[in-house]
Amino acid sequence: MTVSDIFLQHFSIEKLKETFSDHIVYSRATGIDNLDQYAFRSQLDEQVEILNRKAIAGNYRFTKYKLKLVSKGRNKVPREISIPTVRDRIALRSLCNFLTEIYQDSIEFELPQNIVKKVKNDLNHGQYDACIKLDVTNFYPSIKHKELLSRLGRKIRVPSIKNIILSAISSPTVSASKSSDLPSSRGVPQGLAVSNILAAIYLSNIDNHLSSMHSIKYYRYVDDVLIFCNLCEAIEIAEQVIKMFRKIGLKVHDPIKAPEKSSIGPIVNGFDYLGYQFTSNKVTARIGSVERLKHSLVSIFTSYKYSKQKSESFLLWRLDLRITGCIYENKSKGWLFSLQKLMMKVFCMRWIIMS
């Protein structure tokens, strides 16, 4: 099938309704129009028909996104999350599915757990003696639209489809809509269904180049880069990678000036990556990750304590899900570690609740 055929397939009325049922129907989030999924459901046929007609004509335009601020901790700038309207969420999920199919042979998404397994396996081989950790600052907000559209143009040559994608990333994120709001000229809004795949497409050239180098091992998860190499070449490699990111408008924290963000050092000194601490042949949860888990468990118990309807089964389900995780679409999510002290505390708290 051609790119146009695949697009038409994902934006057919039947597929759009299926997308709503599979991905949107249980969400409570509302966009700037304050229309929730319950009210939307009563006008589903009409809204899907509009989306289908405008998408096929190539003139569908996204509504402004509602701003949601998510705290990243004390003394840190909060993360800006963009909340679309219900209809736009159907469109964004359909765009994500479309792009995933188009790029299925060239872009691979991996869960953090799988990346950690690969890191551990490569460590056990002992081929490298140095590690480079690089952190991209303001990753999503720094993505250049022109550069992204250029990458998309290699596979998607239909102007109307690219215009819809451009509308998705240029629609402004606001706390309250005003006539003076201007489209965004740079960046990909965070929290959208298409955000991750567009970011991956943007970095595809760098990923492909560095992954093909035999003298290093390269890993990337969103804006966190890890490279194994020989210590004598580490500084030079880090400088080359930073320069590659700079060419596409992305700034990487300098490992010399900001060692808390980026770093270069011998592998034997240990390092942390994606919430895990790597020391010798051991992989353990980073202290910060354990503390966050503790706080989330306390929050679960607090919610139960002040709940009007105290459901013990729901409490235990939330605890089990948070600690053990789950398997969704044959992929493991969450974490299950040998944290004996933490598990003992949880056991005691559960025993107290059930007593």
Side-chain angles (χ1 to χ4, degrees), residues 67-81 137-138 141 190 223 253 261:
L67 174 64
K68 179 181 179 181
L69 297 177
V70 178
S71 174
K72 295 169 63 178
R74 182 178 297 177
N75 300 325
K76 293 183 179 180
V77 178
R79 179 177 286 109
E80 295 187 2
I81 301 297
T137 178
N138 293 322
Q190 296 185 65
D223 56 356
H253 288 287
K261 291 286 187 178

Side-chain angles (χ1 to χ4, degrees), residues 22-239:
D22 291 346
H23 298 281
I24 316 298
V25 71
Y26 296 112
S27 174
R28 299 178 181 178
T30 59
I32 202 163
D33 61 357
N34 290 321
L35 186 69
D36 62 24
Q37 58 95 355
Y38 298 105
F40 185 89
R41 193 184 307 181
S42 65
Q43 44 186 283
L44 179 63
D45 291 341
E46 176 187 354
Q47 293 281 5
V48 164
E49 190 278 327
I50 294 172
L51 173 53
N52 165 262
R53 173 167 43 84
K54 290 190 173 183
I56 291 176
N59 56 18
Y60 185 81
R61 297 297 176 263
F62 288 83
T63 308
K64 298 172 186 178
Y65 303 123
K66 183 168 72 175
L67 174 64
K68 179 181 179 181
L69 297 177
V70 178
S71 174
K72 295 169 63 178
R74 182 178 297 177
N75 300 325
K76 293 183 179 180
V77 178
R79 179 177 286 109
E80 295 187 2
I81 301 297
S82 302
I83 309 296
T85 63
V86 177
R87 189 176 71 187
D88 282 352
R89 287 167 64 200
I90 299 174
L92 290 163
R93 174 55 61 180
S94 300
L95 271 179
C96 177
N97 294 339
F98 160 72
L99 291 170
T100 300
E101 184 170 350
I102 294 295
Y103 285 90
Q104 61 182 337
D105 296 328
S106 54
I107 292 180
E108 182 180 358
F109 287 100
E110 288 195 277
L111 290 171
Q113 298 95 315
N114 294 336
I115 297 177
V116 168
K117 288 179 182 177
K118 291 184 177 181
V119 171
K120 186 176 184 299
N121 288 337
D122 288 327
L123 274 178
N124 291 337
H125 290 157
Q127 183 178 353
Y128 307 98
D129 61 357
C131 106
I132 303 169
K133 271 186 57 189
L134 300 174
D135 181 79
V136 183
T137 178
N138 293 322
F139 176 40
Y140 285 100
S142 301
I143 292 175
K144 293 181 176 180
H145 289 180
K146 185 176 180 180
E147 191 83 28
L148 176 58
L149 291 175
S150 174
R151 294 219 185 341
L152 289 167
R154 296 172 187 173
K155 283 185 175 287
I156 303 171
R157 296 183 174 86
V158 184
S160 59
I161 298 177
K162 289 195 291 184
N163 286 338
I164 293 175
I165 296 174
L166 179 60
S167 174
I169 61 177
S170 61
S171 184
T173 299
V174 298
S175 54
S177 181
K178 296 179 291 187
S179 58
S180 57
D181 294 328
L182 298 175
S184 301
S185 58
R186 187 169 186 166
V188 170
Q190 296 185 65
L192 307 184
V194 293
S195 299
N196 286 347
I197 190 166
L198 289 177
I201 293 169
Y202 193 72
L203 290 176
S204 57
N205 287 354
I206 292 178
D207 288 344
N208 292 336
H209 176 76
L210 294 176
S211 296
S212 65
M213 293 178 62
H214 299 295
S215 59
I216 68 171
K217 270 291 183 179
Y218 168 77
Y219 313 89
R220 182 185 64 81
Y221 183 74
V222 190
D223 56 356
D224 289 319
V225 173
L226 176 68
I227 298 173
F228 290 154
C229 62
N230 294 319
L231 189 58
C232 60
E233 302 173 329
I235 294 178
E236 181 182 353
I237 291 171
E239 290 175 348

